Amino acid sequence: MATSYISQSTVSHGTRTNTTITAPASIADNDILRIYTYLGAEPGPAPTPTPPTGFSQLVLVTLSTVGGTGTGEIRLYVWEKRAASESGNYTVTHASAFTHTYMEVMRGGVTSGSAEDFAATSNTNDGAGTSYTALG
């Protein structure tokens, strides 16, 4: 069964403490919910966020020495969970940071576990390119 995009919700760029995402429309049990958020700080480091209850981290990418002074840091997180009797909005808890957040709802595909068969565990950018380490 193919995975279908159902709906999305976005919180635009801005400096804030905590990010509350309006629940996308038409969430049904067993849908795949994903939150993509980035946090930036200059000077860095960017704060470490806590995802909403039940979400597991799929990806963390850290970009250092960014911004006008070269002292900033941006962290991109991707979290996922299976919908189960969802209600209300979702809050990513974090200290003050410049953020942008996107949440999507997908339906179909695999019927349990993650929609992906891997989870990135680390990455490195050594100037020669970016490499990712993933679980089996």
Side-chain angles (χ1 to χ4, degrees):
M1 175 184 212
T3 300
S4 300
Y5 168 84
I6 302 301
S7 63
Q8 59 88 29
S9 184
T10 302
V11 178
S12 296
H13 296 84
T15 300
R16 59 185 59 89
T17 300
N18 300 331
T19 301
T20 299
I21 309 148
T22 302
S26 304
I27 296 174
D29 283 355
N30 213 34
D31 283 349
I32 299 162
L33 309 179
R34 283 214 181 125
I35 296 174
Y36 303 78
T37 192
Y38 79 72
L39 295 92
E42 189 174 6
T48 300
T50 301
T53 301
F55 281 82
S56 298
Q57 183 174 307
L58 289 178
V59 175
L60 166 58
V61 176
T62 301
L63 304 173
S64 301
T65 63
V66 297
T69 64
T71 62
E73 180 179 87
I74 296 171
R75 292 182 184 171
L76 168 66
Y77 292 84
V78 180
W79 298 292
E80 178 184 271
K81 76 175 270 189
R82 287 271 173 183
S85 302
E86 302 298 312
S87 66
N89 297 325
Y90 300 86
T91 299
V92 176
T93 306
H94 57 81
S96 181
F98 187 80
T99 70
H100 181 82
T101 301
Y102 169 82
M103 183 174 179
E104 66 185 6
V105 179
M106 296 176 296
R107 188 168 296 148
V110 296
T111 58
S112 64
S114 174
E116 305 296 338
D117 62 358
F118 77 94
T121 56
S122 67
N123 71 354
T124 356
N125 186 340
D126 59 7
T130 302
S131 61
Y132 295 89
T133 303
L135 300 174

